[in-house]
Amino acid sequence: MHIIGTSGHVDHGKTALIKALTGINADRLPEEKKRGMTIDLGFAHFEGDGREPVGVIDVPGHERFIRNMVAGAWSLSCAVLVVAGNEGWMQQTEDHARVLEAMGIDRIVCALTKIDITEKNSLASAAGEIRQNLFRIFGKEIEILPVSSLTGEGIEALRRKILDILKTIPPKREERSGYIHIDRAFTVKGSGTIITGSLSGGDISEGEELTILPGGQKTRVRGIQSYHSAVSTAQPVSRVACNLHGIKKEAISRGFIAARNPDDFKIAREFIVQWGEMDGMAIRNHRELEIACGTGHYTGIIHFLRTEGFARIVLKEDVPVNWLAPCLFIQQGGSLILGKGRFIWPGVTDRHFRIRLSSLLKRYAIGETVRKEAVLRFLLQQWFQTTAGGEKSCIEEFCSAEGIEVRIIGSTIIEEERFQKEAESLKDLYTRPGGLSRAEVLHSRDIPVEVKEFLIEEGLEKGEVLLQGNILIPPEQLEERSNLSPLGRKILKMLSQKKNSGLQLKEIRDPGAKTELRTLVLTGKVISLEDEIYFSSGYFSRLTTVLLEGLEPGSSFTIPEAKERTGLSRRYIIPVLNKMEELGMVKRRDNTRVVC
């Protein structure tokens, strides 16, 4: 099934042409009928060769309603560019043609209308100009068919041409499940909320659950109409009206999506886009503009990347998009089409990631489509994080088809070869003299924390690394360091000479003192307190024994009482008490400590 659409300058006969093709007046609003001008989207249909309905969308031609025109253009299989023979190529003809090209609609036929009131010489002149402009924009010959909606001349030939074009288009099922870009939401008394839009991707049936994006509200399909007929299952690509259960009209707006599988879409306010300017239009860096995609349009700011033809856009609201969805850049508050683009990467990205991504994107010329496979392979070579099940399934399928072995850890997908390299890199970190703290490991390497956590736990399970206190160290290094070095013996002697004070790192002038102290802590000979204060294990044990002597579990003592019992100053008693709390010997309660 297919949907076609008309486009072109205001008053060039689009609505009249649709009525001649379908017998339906697509102007549904009273204001449209009063003014004789299409303001919003209009809808009609006619039968194809197999009696299947062919949907028709009538878009407004006036420049003030360019956003409505874009909303109607995204789902078209074929477009009919309407040009009046008595006026020829006009500004909105140019704009609509450029929108069609930017949206990737390459199946075009031109209807030269009002031939019944235009002289033959004027028609020939207009057709010549139109042909040149079409070739300039689309880069190929576009057939021009003269028609009169009033007399019916040429209407059947135009219908035949449209159907022949549609026969060359394969079924459009690019997604796993059906979704509707919503263009209207209203209430019918006795039925509730109704949405209308163009169905793509896959079937939608009565009773199925849909998710309204970007909000995520769940609803169920009560009933479906397609081309004024009730159906139990609607097929893509077709115009549908769905009666929804459990959701109010106020929760839905034009631009929203009703999807069977919400994971097929990424919801974000920030995106990397591939973009290009329209002829004669300049987009300034960091400017605010409008971005139109699907049936919606949004306000945002564009920031150019280092790679020409690619940018980051930051929107003021969440937008649901799928891979390579087309978009247009419109002058904010105006009607000028400034440029076109495609969504490449959703979500907030840091500068380093954008630099890496730019190294891939620079391989593509402006206007050349960025292949999804290339981006995924690049990201897998780095690492890929996602919280969307649909994205994860897509990547797994791609990797399986391409023979790429991956490891999935939480929300991260990482190529197996890269994973093994990271595992070896972390092992190298452990073998540093004195090992590394867990915090130091988690802050090392530019990969997600959940991957590093996984590698630490895997190393502990396999016995490749030991956790001593909060220090990770290989078993063999711990065994090697059980024998004291000369510096280690010197430090222990210094500790034994201390009475009611600990030893601070700054008091040891010898090179390598910090590493040696870490070794002494790992081997249990020294206790490390905060502020780089150290006690010998024996002295710390005696302190805690004196401090807790005669105290039952649940009893408490104050800091002054602890100072009196141990003879330590406040400078040292606080770190000692904090260490005892860390070891589970006491608990803090206000300014007292409770014995565990």
Side-chain angles (χ1 to χ4, degrees), residues 264-284:
D264 286 340
F265 294 83
K266 187 69 175 179
I267 299 169
R269 296 190 179 195
E270 186 170 318
F271 299 88
I272 303 298
V273 297
Q274 183 185 40
W275 69 279
E277 293 176 341
M278 295 297 192
D279 289 347
M281 299 295 172
I283 300 178
R284 296 192 310 274

Side-chain angles (χ1 to χ4, degrees), residues 70-126:
V70 175
W74 78 271
S75 63
L76 303 182
S77 302
C78 170
V80 180
L81 187 63
V82 178
V83 187
N86 61 336
E87 293 189 0
W89 193 269
M90 303 287 282
Q91 181 56 53
Q92 286 306 110
T93 315
E94 176 84 12
D95 290 346
H96 283 206
R98 290 196 173 278
V99 168
L100 296 174
E101 189 278 331
M103 302 293 280
I105 301 169
D106 59 354
R107 293 175 173 86
I108 310 288
V109 60
C110 180
L112 186 61
T113 60
K114 303 188 179 182
I115 61 172
D116 54 301
I117 60 171
T118 309
E119 295 181 359
K120 289 186 178 180
N121 289 340
S122 297
L123 279 177
S125 176

Side-chain angles (χ1 to χ4, degrees), residues 245-263:
H245 172 72
I247 192 166
K248 293 184 178 180
K249 174 184 74 71
E250 289 74 19
I252 306 173
S253 298
R254 174 175 288 183
F256 284 19
I257 293 171
R260 281 181 57 194
N261 182 6
D263 288 340

Side-chain angles (χ1 to χ4, degrees), residues 434-449:
L436 280 183
S437 70
R438 193 183 193 101
E440 288 174 315
V441 173
L442 294 178
H443 283 88
S444 68
R445 311 291 297 169
D446 184 23
I447 58 172
V449 170

Side-chain angles (χ1 to χ4, degrees), residues 501-517:
S501 63
L503 179 67
Q504 291 186 283
L505 177 61
K506 63 183 180 182
E507 298 177 57
I508 310 172
R509 304 295 184 182
D510 302 76
K514 187 172 184 178
T515 298
E516 193 62 37
L517 276 167

